[in-house]
Amino acid sequence: MREKTMSSTVGFIGLGNMGGPMAINLVKAGHKVIGFDLSDAAMTTHAEAGGDRGTSVADLAAASDVIVTMLPAGKHVRQIYQGEGGILENAKPGTLLIDSSTIDVDSARAVSAASAEKGMPMVDAPVSGGVAGAAGGTLTFMVGGPDEAYDAAKPYLDIMGKTIVHAGGAGNGQAAKICNNMILGISMIGVSEAFVLGEKLGLDPQKLFDISSTASGQCWSLTSYCPVPGPLPSSPANRDYQPGFAAAMMLKDLKLAQEAASSAGAATPLGAEAASLYTLFCNSGGESLDFSGIVKFLRGHD
């Protein structure tokens, strides 16, 4: 059962494919949601769903009890929080901060430390579940931060997601996200290679799916996101690889995992190879396709 929150003023910065529907779910739950995005179209969609238009980051920060951010990269998160006219300069002490961007662990920990100095509890809470999960309020949140910040954030995360996991201290939400997506990228390549090999050996894809989905080859990349058309009607393979999770975003996460591995001194040879293959796939024109479309690259297709 989802916890209920008293009606709050929530500032939401980043109303893109993921952030937009997340903000709308907060509106539907009865919160006043002040949205801000550089895209006027995103702002219009937010307003049409009942949200308020923010005029600037500074004004949004000053007016909000809770601030959620969904931004492209660590440099954007640092700027929005720590830059001139940013959140930490303008928000009230005690404002709850939730960053749902997927960024590098070092940036997440640096911004969290700066927020703590200002007396603002913060969690890093990257998500898994794609656009459909954002729209349906079924996202998985991997949360890093102090216990008290997690407890304060959870009722809001419950509105936007289905599974909320406290992964530990500041930055651990990001650590969990990049480790999970490294597994996903590696496994999707493995499943795709198996289907390409099976095709060349004359094995019907449906038969391979029927066997491997109930045998030791079973994994999420196979049974929930099969990279070839046919066996799983809901997979992007049946929509010409229109993205649920774009290859460019997978590459971003794999690069973050490699940066973290280098910083931590961890050996991730398969993660490194997956990053190399997705780089080649994106550079060959696949960046806007779903990440499962790497099967096309492995077949040698454009």
Side-chain angles (χ1 to χ4, degrees):
M1 181 180 228
R2 298 190 174 191
E3 298 177 45
K4 291 187 177 179
T5 61
M6 294 180 62
S7 180
S8 302
T9 298
V10 180
F12 205 112
I13 302 172
L15 302 172
N17 291 337
M18 294 293 292
M22 291 166 65
I24 289 171
N25 282 332
L26 290 168
V27 172
K28 290 177 179 177
H31 296 293
K32 176 179 179 179
V33 182
I34 306 171
F36 184 82
D37 196 281
L38 296 178
S39 164
D40 188 63
M43 293 277 277
T44 298
T45 298
H46 179 70
E48 289 175 348
D52 290 21
R53 283 176 174 262
T55 55
S56 69
V57 171
D59 289 346
L60 177 152
S64 299
D65 306 308
V66 181
I67 299 173
V68 184
T69 49
M70 177 63 89
L71 301 166
K75 64 181 180 180
H76 304 106
V77 171
R78 286 179 183 263
Q79 180 62 34
I80 287 290
Y81 279 90
Q82 297 177 278
E84 184 177 350
I87 292 170
L88 299 188
E89 189 179 274
N90 291 282
K92 304 179 292 287
T95 301
L96 173 63
L97 308 177
I98 302 171
D99 180 39
S100 286
S101 318
T102 296
I103 63 172
D104 60 287
V105 175
D106 290 343
S107 289
R109 289 176 175 163
V111 173
S112 179
S115 300
E117 289 179 3
K118 292 283 190 176
M120 301 177 196
M122 183 175 189
V123 294
D124 51 286
V127 304
S128 179
V131 175
T138 59
L139 294 168
T140 293
F141 284 89
M142 294 147 272
V143 188
D147 289 347
E148 59 273 19
Y150 170 76
D151 290 342
K154 189 173 184 298
Y156 300 94
L157 301 178
D158 278 335
I159 293 167
M160 299 181 285
K162 182 178 181 181
T163 303
I164 321 296
V165 180
H166 190 194
N172 278 23
Q174 301 295 347
K177 173 68 184 289
I178 61 177
C179 288
N180 177 77
N181 278 18
M182 185 174 72
I183 294 171
L184 178 60
I186 292 168
S187 66
M188 182 56 75
I189 291 169
V191 171
S192 296
E193 287 184 350
F195 273 101
V196 170
L197 175 60
E199 290 167 8
K200 290 186 179 298
L201 295 174
L203 182 60
D204 180 82
Q206 183 67 55
K207 296 298 184 183
L208 178 57
F209 179 87
D210 292 344
I211 293 166
S212 292
S213 64
T214 57
S216 55
Q218 190 279 330
C219 63
W220 190 92
S221 292
L222 174 65
T223 56
S224 295
Y225 220 80
C226 184
V228 299
L232 197 66
S234 61
S235 73
N238 295 291
R239 303 189 304 274
D240 294 324
Y241 299 97
Q242 295 176 32
F245 183 51
M249 299 305 293
M250 172 55 78
L251 179 56
K252 170 194 168 184
D253 290 356
L254 289 169
K255 286 181 174 178
L256 287 173
Q258 287 308 292
E259 290 172 12
S262 177
S263 178
T268 56
L270 289 179
E273 185 62 25
S276 295
L277 287 170
Y278 272 99
T279 296
L280 292 171
F281 176 43
C282 288
N283 289 345
S284 70
E287 62 182 357
S288 63
L289 297 178
D290 190 81
F291 82 104
S292 61
I294 197 165
V295 70
K296 292 164 63 71
F297 174 78
L298 294 170
R299 285 198 194 103
H301 292 180
D302 293 332

